[in-house]
Amino acid sequence: MSTAVSPLAPTDVPDMPVIAGVKLATAAAGIRYKGRTDVLLALLDKGTTVAGVFTKSKCPSAPVEWCRAKLKGAGSSKGLARAVVVNSGNANAFTGKTGKQSTALTAQIAAKAVGCSTEEVFLASTGVIGEPLDATKFDGVLATLAETATPDHWMDAAKAIMTTDTFPKVATATVKLGKARVTINGMAKGAGMIMPDMATMLSFIFTDAPLSAAVLQSLLKTGVEDTFNALTIDGDTSTSDTLLAFATGAAAANGAPKITRASDPRLKAFTKAFYGVLADLSEQVARDGEGARKLVEVVVEGATTKPSARKIAMSIANSPLVKTAIAGEDANWGRVVMAVGKAGEPANRDKLSISFNGIRVAKSGARDPSYNEKEVSEAMKAPKIEIKVALGLGKGRDRVLTCDLTKEYITINGDYRS
Amino acid sequence: MSTAVSPLAPTDVPDMPVIAGVKLATAAAGIRYKGRTDVLLALLDKGTTVAGVFTKSKCPSAPVEWCRAKLKGAGSSKGLARAVVVNSGNANAFTGKTGKQSTALTAQIAAKAVGCSTEEVFLASTGVIGEPLDATKFDGVLATLAETATPDHWMDAAKAIMTTDTFPKVATATVKLGKARVTINGMAKGAGMIMPDMATMLSFIFTDAPLSAAVLQSLLKTGVEDTFNALTIDGDTSTSDTLLAFATGAAAANGAPKITRASDPRLKAFTKAFYGVLADLSEQVARDGEGARKLVEVVVEGATTKPSARKIAMSIANSPLVKTAIAGEDANWGRVVMAVGKAGEPANRDKLSISFNGIRVAKSGARDPSYNEKEVSEAMKAPKIEIKVALGLGKGRDRVLTCDLTKEYITINGDYRS
């Protein structure tokens, strides 16, 4: 298995500012391996609101079920969070009843360390599945982390949640909310599916903006649609995918207005910046796709509707034949036609146009007569490939990110036993 | 690209009997390469009935559209066929209006050679897409083939329609219909998606049984459900998939009854044999999956319904992570859980059981305590792997065939330019 950093890793890594109300600490709890940093604790000031979106898997992990229950939970702590515990090494998925006990015990240990209710503790796990997670390993560790947490640990935190990621993924934005400057920090992990067990996409977003939990949930729900939900590495969905957002509200001290309605016009710039952080992180996940050598952007326009465009774009982005062609630097538009055809959405073969990195290779249902093989071959060497399909039917447009499919993906996931 | 025969090729190749009323001939028409056998003509006696099922692609090839139109066609020739022309080298797909002209010209040349109406000519093409198919190349060739066709050319015919298939695929059965013996012969081609362009599954079934076109269509439609439609190599669907069946009715001379209703009880044994031929051919396609080293049978039972079991089985069979694990001889049940979860069908994580080749590795939503790693590792070395998932919810059961995903698949489809 290769440990080299993806050739698509961003060269420009931001300095992560502090977020008032958030403190971070990491440790090696020996979850799976000794001496490897595998736990992240994020401490959140009182009054921090929380929102989350999760895997659509019908077989979710125990931590996903825990978070869902806490978000729905009634009582005074509803929509509030004081701590997030993230571990790598063990996903606590498909662990039966012991999985549930394990999340409860982890939350108890964290609640005691932080001095809060278990209702205010959020959990995420990634790593091997089907193995019991021994939560007693957090005993002592979380108490130490709670004491030593500092506001400036962002890069270490992003590293602590990595599994087979080849680089840590962080993004940040500052933006005006009312007359105050507020900050949004995010981190993510994910690289397709993780050898030798289960893939997971985890992401955590923090802001000092004073947002109600409902506003935060609305931002997340809309924000993922064109970012994390418009991303595919291999069409496989983890049982553990988790995206949590936290708003400490600390910027209220600087005059930031408290936002309680998602439709509040003062939220406009913030919303844009928030989506920008989600988009940045999700693109980084595509750039770290297992074995990826090319970032692929699939744009479908002229579909009957946007959902129809999404379905067609996903069909193209998930096609092994399209992805292997891109790996081979082959502008194989025949395979793109195939993927359009199998999507089951309205399409008229004789109106289809297809281009690669701006060079049209097919139009009106046949090869573009002006298509120059040499020019296209040259364009296909670029590290980023845009496949654009124009259907010529309506105004539906959408965009999906993915990566190519290389032998390295098979090496990473094939776990060849010798 | 490897030209070695798949290690999963059947060792037992049947002697193909003649079918009264069917004559075959092959030739090298120079469709794409000179000197390569690339045309098959099947001549059918007067009165031969025909039925067909085709790709569900929204962008079908010109020959698929041609066949669909002829099957629907009105007039005295409706449901009747006199000739089938199959070519490799060019799929006549995504060729715009010239594609339609090309099918019409091919049918004209064939009709003239055979002495029938163009309405009774059926066409199938496989090979490169997006390139015009020059039908004038059939001129002369088809007339010669019509003159030289013989009843015993089955293996040559199966070879003529191959593209990247590593072995010809034939199957045969004889069975009683009334008191007469009737014969069913079938051939198929397909190996996933074909380098460097488009994949295609083509299959042709011939029988001397006297069946009406409606009966034949009913047999095909029901028969593909658990055979060709329960097969996936890589989840990609060709624009050209074609399965045609022909019944010459010649066995009527030996006393076989003419069957005009699909519900006729005399059809029972024939139906079983017919489905057997379809099952045999579709398994051979899985065995010739691009880069395949293992045949994989996914069995899902205990689902709420059979369609639900099918969806879950397909989700497992199409998961790159499951397929790479099988290639690595790794009984990675975590990935099977993942694939069950992403299918979106009813599933209860805590009732799931999973076994590989009869060895249960997970039960009641967790690792099976009796699971012996060594025993399973040994079992995973077999050339055929059965993944069985028991959902414990209902009586829905289904089965899907696929193959593993190896680096060879990437090599075949990656078309690495140097």
Side-chain angles (χ1 to χ4, degrees), chain A residues 175-235:
Chain A
V175 64
K176 282 225 167 158
L177 183 63
K179 287 179 180 168
R181 291 198 82 76
V182 297
T183 305
I184 306 165
N185 277 5
M187 66 180 86
K189 69 134 294 207
M193 297 291 165
I194 311 301
M195 171 186 177
D197 302 293
M198 179 58 69
T200 294
M201 204 293 298
L202 301 182
S203 185
F204 307 97
I205 314 291
F206 301 86
T207 179
D208 53 357
L211 309 177
S212 72
V215 167
L216 202 55
Q217 185 67 39
S218 166
L219 280 173
L220 260 197
K221 205 180 158 191
T222 312
V224 294
E225 206 40 55
D226 290 327
T227 57
F228 284 109
N229 285 352
L231 166 73
T232 177
I233 302 300
D234 47 19

Side-chain angles (χ1 to χ4, degrees), chain B residues 139-163:
Chain B
D139 215 356
V141 173
L142 293 184
T144 307
L145 290 180
E147 281 165 26
T148 58
T150 62
D152 56 0
H153 246 41
W154 292 92
M155 215 52 174
D156 289 339
K159 282 178 190 162
I161 64 173
M162 284 167 59
T163 49

Side-chain angles (χ1 to χ4, degrees), chain A residues 60 94 131 193 321 333 349, chain B residues 60 94 193 321 333 349 367:
Chain A
F94 212 54
E131 301 286 342
M193 297 291 165
L321 284 170
W333 53 272
R349 190 188 59 199
Chain B
F94 212 56
M193 296 289 167
L321 285 170
W333 54 273
R349 189 188 61 201
R367 182 183 188 139

Side-chain angles (χ1 to χ4, degrees), chain B residues 83-405:
Chain B
V84 196
V85 181
V86 189
N87 73 274
S88 57
N90 187 314
N92 194 13
F94 212 56
T95 42
K97 283 172 193 168
T98 65
K100 202 170 173 177
Q101 291 158 2
S102 183
T103 52
L105 182 54
T106 307
Q108 275 168 33
I109 296 169
K112 198 178 161 196
V114 175
C116 68
S117 147
T118 55
E119 297 301 305
E120 298 166 304
V121 176
F122 286 77
L123 306 173
S125 299
T126 178
V128 61
I129 89 150
E131 301 286 340
L133 171 62
D134 179 6
T136 62
K137 290 190 175 168
F138 295 121
D139 215 356
V141 173
L142 293 184
T144 307
L145 290 180
E147 281 165 26
T148 58
T150 62
D152 56 0
H153 246 41
W154 292 92
M155 215 52 174
D156 289 339
K159 282 178 190 162
I161 64 173
M162 284 167 59
T163 49
T164 57
D165 301 59
T166 71
F167 59 88
K169 297 164 189 70
V170 293
T172 183
T174 51
V175 65
K176 282 223 167 162
L177 183 63
K179 287 179 180 167
R181 292 200 79 77
V182 297
T183 306
I184 306 164
N185 277 5
M187 67 181 84
K189 68 133 297 206
M193 296 289 167
I194 311 303
M195 172 187 178
D197 302 293
M198 178 57 69
T200 294
M201 204 293 297
L202 300 182
S203 184
F204 308 97
I205 315 291
F206 302 86
T207 179
D208 53 357
L211 310 177
S212 73
V215 167
L216 202 55
Q217 186 67 40
S218 167
L219 280 173
L220 259 197
K221 204 180 158 191
T222 313
V224 294
E225 205 40 54
D226 289 328
T227 58
F228 284 109
N229 284 352
L231 167 73
T232 177
I233 302 299
D234 47 19
D236 277 342
T237 304
S238 161
T239 57
S240 307
D241 291 334
T242 297
L243 169 57
L244 290 167
F246 304 92
T248 66
N254 306 330
K258 194 164 167 71
I259 307 291
T260 55
R261 285 183 308 113
S263 58
D264 191 318
R266 292 171 296 179
L267 201 59
K268 204 173 165 190
F270 183 90
T271 301
K272 199 179 161 194
F274 189 87
Y275 291 179
V277 168
L278 296 181
D280 187 340
L281 291 172
S282 59
E283 178 171 324
Q284 288 186 56
V285 174
R287 286 179 176 274
D288 208 9
E290 286 172 342
R293 292 185 307 180
K294 290 184 192 288
L295 178 67
V296 181
E297 183 176 18
V298 181
V299 177
V300 173
E301 55 188 34
T304 52
T305 62
K306 180 179 152 103
S308 179
R310 169 69 59 96
K311 257 189 146 173
I312 292 169
M314 275 290 179
S315 177
I316 297 167
N318 277 326
S319 160
L321 285 170
V322 171
K323 293 159 87 85
T324 49
I326 300 293
E329 303 190 339
D330 176 15
N332 196 318
W333 54 273
R335 294 184 184 176
V336 178
V337 181
M338 176 282 297
V340 172
K342 80 165 178 162
E345 290 297 308
N348 181 336
R349 189 188 61 201
D350 298 338
K351 287 185 176 177
L352 267 181
S353 294
I354 297 167
S355 47
F356 289 87
N357 279 3
I359 304 169
R360 193 173 60 190
V361 292
K363 70 165 186 175
S364 309
R367 182 183 188 139
D368 190 329
S370 68
Y371 153 34
N372 177 323
E373 177 70 27
K374 261 194 183 167
E375 189 194 4
V376 178
S377 291
E378 203 50 47
M380 295 302 290
K381 291 179 185 164
K384 181 176 173 184
I385 302 293
E386 185 207 60
I387 306 175
K388 187 184 271 186
V389 175
L391 293 167
L393 298 178
K395 293 188 172 176
R397 188 181 192 283
D398 206 7
R399 163 192 178 271
V400 159
L401 282 183
T402 188
C403 57
D404 58 346
L405 174 58

